[in-house]
Amino acid sequence: MIPGQDLVLSCTGISHAFGERRVLHGVDLHVARGQIVGLVGPSGCGKSTLLNAIFGTLALGQGGVTVHSRMGNRYDVDGIGPDRCMVYQDYDLYPHLTALQNVAFGLMVRDTSIASRVFRPLAWRAQRQRMRDKAAALLERVGLASALDKYPHELSGGMRQRVALAQALVMEPEVLLLDEPFGALDEANREGLQQMLLTLYAENVAAQRSGGKPPHTLVIVTHEIDEALLVGDRVVGLSQFWDWKGAGHEACPGATVVYDAAAPVETPGTGIDRAGYAPQRALIREVVMDPVRTKAPVGEHVRFWQQAAAGEARGVVDRVP
Amino acid sequence: MFGRPLRPGATALITAATVVAMVALYFWLSDWKHGQNPSDKTIPSLSQLQAGVHELWRERPGEGRWMLIDLRASALRFGLGLALGAVVAFGVGLATGCWEAVHAALLPPLSVLGNVPATAMLAVYFIFIPTGHTMFVSMVALGVLPSLAQGVHLAVRDIKPERLNTARMRGASNGEVVLHVIVPQVLPRLVDLVIHASGLALLILVASEMAIGGGEGIGYRIRLLMMKVEMAMIMPYLVALAAVGLAISHGLAAAQRWVFPWYQPGRR
């Protein structure tokens, strides 16, 4: 436990192997409510495995994931649940539903059942209208007000990914997992969606300031360090290149967290100075991505919670407990 | 060249030219045949065809108009049989696609139905099914069932697991996944399958009508007229069959575009 923090997600001691191939080793990750965590690492380091463990599609070898819900209860992740939503890179929407129906679909299956819709048609009609309004409002927020009634095949890749995001956001999940969400998009679309994530974060900070609970917590897997620094308030580096010999292992036991530090918090809509990221980017390259360099002991760059305690982190965790 | 589309007008023009060529070839052959033997009945001339249609349309005491009763009987058997086969196949394919146990259980009967030609199964049906319309309807339905069920089964298996996961992660029950995710995506595929199966259905129907008889129906009449080499009266039935086949595939395709506007097999 991290004292004084409103955590939403705790991964403790996660180790996992696919047969002989050891992927994750002793991964600890605690995420505070309202954070946007950029998860980076060399390819094949198990970023997606960790994400699937949180999502619940993976039966872990060791360790576990605990969710601390808004309502105050805690439970261990055991299978897929509506409290954790995943958006994939090549997200495909339901082809037989319009953008609006795609977004409203989740609310329908979460909040109603076939029996309730059949036997209480009038109540269902009113409910459906509310769900549609909510879905429409969300689509409007992601800039798709004019595409509510379009089918996925009529939308561009960027628009589809916006629908996918709206589809996840409408569920108000405890944590939203994004697996290389913008990988297949062109520059303009990617920047638009990055700005959208910054807006979400700004909402979190505003909610925090006014004493409420920040609504959106995100873990975003990306292969671009810059993207992680830009949209995240914290960057976590997962890597199989760490000093496992020094820790007494004969072969690499899997990737672990080798970097964890606060990232610059950007204001949406303002110009972003990516040149300023250079020193942190260079450090992440060296610590996380570089396979050959002699590595420092694992804990040296895992400093986020120390930074938070020292008041060095910005955004939703800047209050010294 | 392939990969280079024709202008829309050009396609229509070429198609029309082929139709004209077919009709011209027929009458040229007919002319040539009648030049050799003026009373020939194998390739009827225009006037013989007219007389044939007239004969088919004549009100016969105690019977009615042959063409009308035959078309009515065959259309009824064909439509009901294909519809029944499609509905049952949809249920069977959905069940085998969704549940492995059902698949294992239904594999043997479907394999028998799928591998023994429907017309050969006739001997078996004779025992169990009363003759009359019921017999032909069930022949057609059982004949198209295996391939349709297999097609539906594959369509269910084709749906990406992510699409099922995204429904489940939002809390959908298994029933909701089937009803809201699987069924809507499989229905347009069923239409495709029915269009393809309609040719098989016609074949089974005409063949069984020819074999069993039954007093009415296109196959029954063609068989009767064949013995008397009344080609002038057979030709109109062949034209009617071709027209029915064309109407069904185009009608169903149009209905599919109308009901499932999102279904774009070419673009996926």
Side-chain angles (χ1 to χ4, degrees):
Chain A
M1 263 317 268
I2 310 296
Q5 285 294 344
D6 179 16
L7 291 185
V8 60
L9 194 66
S10 306
C11 307
T12 37
I14 290 182
S15 296
H16 190 74
F18 294 106
E20 288 292 290
R21 201 166 68 86
R22 295 196 273 182
V23 182
L24 296 175
H25 176 77
V27 173
D28 285 309
L29 180 64
H30 301 274
V31 180
R33 197 175 306 285
Q35 282 202 298
I36 297 187
V37 177
L39 185 60
V40 298
S43 55
C45 74
K47 298 180 295 249
S48 297
T49 308
L50 181 58
L51 218 56
N52 283 328
I54 300 172
F55 184 42
T57 48
L58 192 70
L60 280 172
Q62 269 175 47
V65 182
T66 306
V67 175
H68 312 246
S69 82
R70 278 184 203 102
M71 315 305 287
N73 48 336
R74 291 173 52 173
Y75 49 88
D76 291 337
V77 165
D78 176 25
I80 301 174
D83 56 333
R84 284 154 288 131
C85 281
M86 173 91 95
V87 174
Y88 301 97
Q89 169 177 356
D90 173 32
Y91 191 90
D92 72 346
L93 304 164
Y94 293 125
H96 60 288
L97 299 178
T98 62
L100 185 74
Q101 292 167 332
N102 258 295
V103 176
F105 177 82
L107 295 174
M108 176 182 85
V109 295
R110 187 189 63 185
D111 298 340
T112 68
S113 65
I114 296 177
S116 74
R117 294 194 289 273
V118 171
F119 294 117
R120 305 188 55 212
L122 289 178
W124 162 232
R125 252 170 71 179
Q127 224 172 350
R128 183 170 60 184
Q129 196 49 50
R130 279 198 300 280
M131 289 173 180
R132 289 197 170 156
D133 290 346
K134 204 168 165 188
L138 213 58
L139 280 167
E140 219 159 292
R141 269 195 58 190
V142 299
L144 288 176
S146 59
L148 299 184
D149 296 320
K150 288 212 158 69
Y151 286 101
H153 76 267
E154 299 169 299
L155 301 172
S156 71
M159 291 163 99
R160 277 207 289 268
Q161 199 65 334
R162 282 164 205 260
V163 176
L165 264 177
Q167 206 180 33
L169 286 171
V170 80
M171 303 297 289
E172 294 167 358
E174 298 288 346
V175 57
L176 176 52
L177 308 166
L178 308 178
D179 194 357
E180 300 272 6
F182 315 140
L185 301 184
D186 60 76
E187 200 61 37
N189 266 310
R190 193 179 312 153
E191 274 172 18
L193 282 163
Q194 286 168 346
Q195 284 293 332
M196 215 201 90
L197 294 190
L198 292 181
T199 318
L200 295 181
Y201 193 72
E203 273 173 36
N204 285 346
V205 175
Q208 171 93 325
R209 295 280 180 275
S210 58
K213 284 199 184 290
H216 316 291
T217 309
L218 277 71
V219 178
I220 165 170
V221 162
T222 170
H223 61 268
E224 272 183 66
I225 298 172
D226 269 6
E227 186 170 78
L229 288 167
L230 168 63
V231 300
D233 65 346
R234 170 183 179 188
V235 175
V236 172
L238 196 63
S239 178
Q240 64 273 55
F241 309 129
W242 55 285
D243 186 19
W244 39 266
K245 273 186 191 134
H249 296 279
E250 282 184 6
C252 179
T256 194
V257 175
V258 296
Y259 182 91
D260 186 357
V265 169
E266 306 285 357
T267 316
T270 57
I272 283 152
D273 173 29
R274 285 176 190 235
Y277 295 163
Q280 200 171 357
R281 181 172 56 220
L283 181 64
I284 294 173
R285 276 239 167 88
E286 183 192 319
V287 175
V288 182
M289 304 293 190
D290 196 338
V292 283
R293 206 180 296 262
T294 325
K295 300 288 180 169
V298 148
E300 190 167 319
H301 296 284
V302 182
R303 301 175 45 240
F304 180 78
W305 291 111
Q306 282 141 273
Q307 286 178 311
E312 288 168 24
R314 292 281 158 268
V316 293
V317 284
D318 66 349
R319 284 184 308 183
V320 182
Chain B
M1 264 313 269
F2 42 82
R4 197 179 298 171
L6 285 175
R7 271 166 297 164
T11 312
L13 203 68
I14 295 172
T15 311
T18 313
V19 173
V20 170
M22 277 165 63
V23 174
L25 181 70
Y26 175 86
F27 285 111
W28 177 79
L29 271 175
S30 169
D31 242 25
W32 170 75
K33 195 82 187 179
H34 282 89
Q36 294 185 326
N37 172 13
S39 59
D40 175 74
K41 291 208 292 182
T42 55
I43 311 182
S45 65
L46 194 58
S47 58
Q48 282 174 313
L49 283 173
Q50 275 171 343
V53 171
H54 187 77
E55 187 68 9
L56 287 175
W57 204 249
R58 186 163 63 83
E59 181 75 45
R60 287 164 202 272
E63 278 189 279
R65 301 176 201 275
W66 277 3
M67 186 117 193
L68 196 65
I69 56 173
D70 291 338
L71 284 182
R72 210 165 44 196
S74 288
L76 182 76
R77 295 161 179 174
F78 172 79
L80 277 180
L82 193 56
L84 186 68
V87 169
V88 175
F90 188 71
V92 169
L94 198 64
T96 59
C98 293
W99 294 283
E100 279 301 332
V102 182
H103 186 213
L106 290 185
L107 208 55
L110 284 178
S111 309
V112 171
L113 277 180
N115 289 305
V116 180
T119 42
M121 290 292 279
L122 216 88
V124 182
Y125 300 155
F126 246 134
I127 304 170
F128 296 109
I129 307 170
T131 46
H133 285 324
T134 327
M135 173 121 204
F136 296 105
V137 169
S138 35
M139 290 261 323
V140 171
L142 286 167
V144 296
L145 178 67
S147 63
L148 281 181
Q150 176 70 357
V152 173
H153 172 86
L154 290 177
V156 174
R157 293 288 165 97
D158 253 7
I159 297 173
K160 290 188 194 166
E162 286 89 353
R163 286 188 187 160
L164 308 180
N165 271 349
T166 48
R168 291 213 183 90
M169 80 181 166
R170 282 143 178 58
S173 63
N174 282 336
E176 285 174 314
V177 172
V178 173
L179 186 67
H180 297 302
V181 182
I182 297 178
V183 167
Q185 293 187 57
V186 172
L187 273 177
R189 291 279 293 273
L190 178 69
V191 179
D192 279 342
L193 292 164
V194 168
I195 292 174
H196 288 142
S198 64
L200 176 65
L202 267 184
L203 173 74
I204 294 171
L205 178 66
V206 172
S208 55
E209 283 177 341
M210 283 176 133
I212 302 172
E216 52 183 358
I218 295 176
Y220 164 76
R221 192 71 61 195
I222 288 177
R223 185 166 157 76
L224 274 191
L225 297 169
M226 243 164 72
M227 296 178 196
K228 294 188 264 175
V229 201
E230 290 287 359
M231 287 307 287
M233 289 162 77
I234 291 179
M235 281 294 178
Y237 281 103
L238 300 187
V239 172
L241 280 175
V244 166
L246 276 176
I248 284 166
S249 47
H250 281 87
L252 281 177
Q256 188 189 39
R257 281 194 298 277
W258 169 256
V259 182
F260 310 107
W262 55 270
Y263 184 63
Q264 307 269 332
R267 286 210 218 169
R268 285 177 306 142

